[in-house]
């Protein structure tokens, strides 16, 4: 057992984040989860150096008409699902293949 330096809760040694206040023992800071945002990965905007927010998983179904995105999505043949991250500062959008789909 160890004690959270932020809220004094007892935290099992196996956990790196306090169950009570989200204090991160490795980085010595409180992890903030934004409303309606699940931080799946720590992805930073290369331009703004702010954390990009997870904005959902996008599913493409067979036969979907990609319109003018067609050429772009051809790069991802065999992939039908992407995690999308958005920079709230400059509006940059990044696509990531979910880890479960990476072979
Ligand atoms: Zn705590
Ligand atoms: Zn940005």
């Amino acid at each position: 057992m160890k004690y959270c330096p932020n809220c004094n809760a007892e935290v099992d040694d196996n956990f790196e984040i306090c169950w009570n206040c989200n204090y991160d023992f490795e980085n010595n800071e409180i992890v903030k989860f934004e409303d309606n945002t699940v931080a799946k990965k720590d992805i930073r905007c290369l331009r703004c150096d702010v954390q990009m927010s997870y904005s959902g998983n996008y599913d493409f179904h067979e036969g979907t008409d990609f319109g003018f995105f067609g050429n772009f999505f051809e790069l991802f043949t065999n992939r039908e699902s992407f995690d999308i991250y958005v920079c709230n500062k400059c509006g940059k959008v990044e696509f990531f293949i979910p880890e479960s789909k990476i072979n």
Side-chain angles (χ1 to χ4, degrees), residues 4-9 11 18-23:
C4 173
N6 184 57
C7 69
N8 286 323
V11 181
C18 173
W19 54 270
N20 187 45
C21 69
N22 293 331
Y23 180 86

Side-chain angles (χ1 to χ4, degrees):
M1 278 300 182
K2 58 192 173 188
Y3 289 90
C4 173
N6 184 57
C7 69
N8 286 323
E10 280 188 19
V11 181
D12 194 286
D13 287 330
N14 295 326
F15 292 101
E16 291 307 322
I17 292 183
C18 173
W19 54 270
N20 187 45
C21 69
N22 293 331
Y23 180 86
D24 184 332
F25 287 88
E26 279 188 348
N27 297 315
N28 298 319
E29 64 182 15
I30 293 168
V31 181
K32 290 195 177 72
F33 296 101
E34 288 176 27
D35 288 332
N36 301 323
T37 305
V38 182
K40 295 183 80 182
K41 290 182 198 169
D42 183 23
I43 292 171
R44 295 191 157 266
C45 177
L46 295 175
R47 212 175 317 183
C48 314
D49 197 33
V50 297
Q51 184 161 356
M52 298 179 75
S53 42
Y54 178 66
S55 98
N57 180 276
Y58 210 87
D59 259 307
F60 296 113
H61 303 289
E62 245 181 274
T64 303
D65 181 4
F66 296 143
F68 73 93
F69 285 119
N71 292 334
F72 174 66
F73 285 119
E74 269 176 29
L75 296 170
F76 303 107
T77 42
N78 305 326
R79 313 289 187 185
E80 73 280 359
S81 163
F82 302 91
D83 285 336
I84 299 173
Y85 288 81
V86 179
C87 172
N88 291 321
K89 210 170 171 187
C90 71
K92 181 179 170 60
V93 177
E94 295 213 59
F95 294 87
F96 293 88
I97 295 160
E99 276 165 41
S100 60
K101 306 248 178 185
I102 298 173
N103 297 316

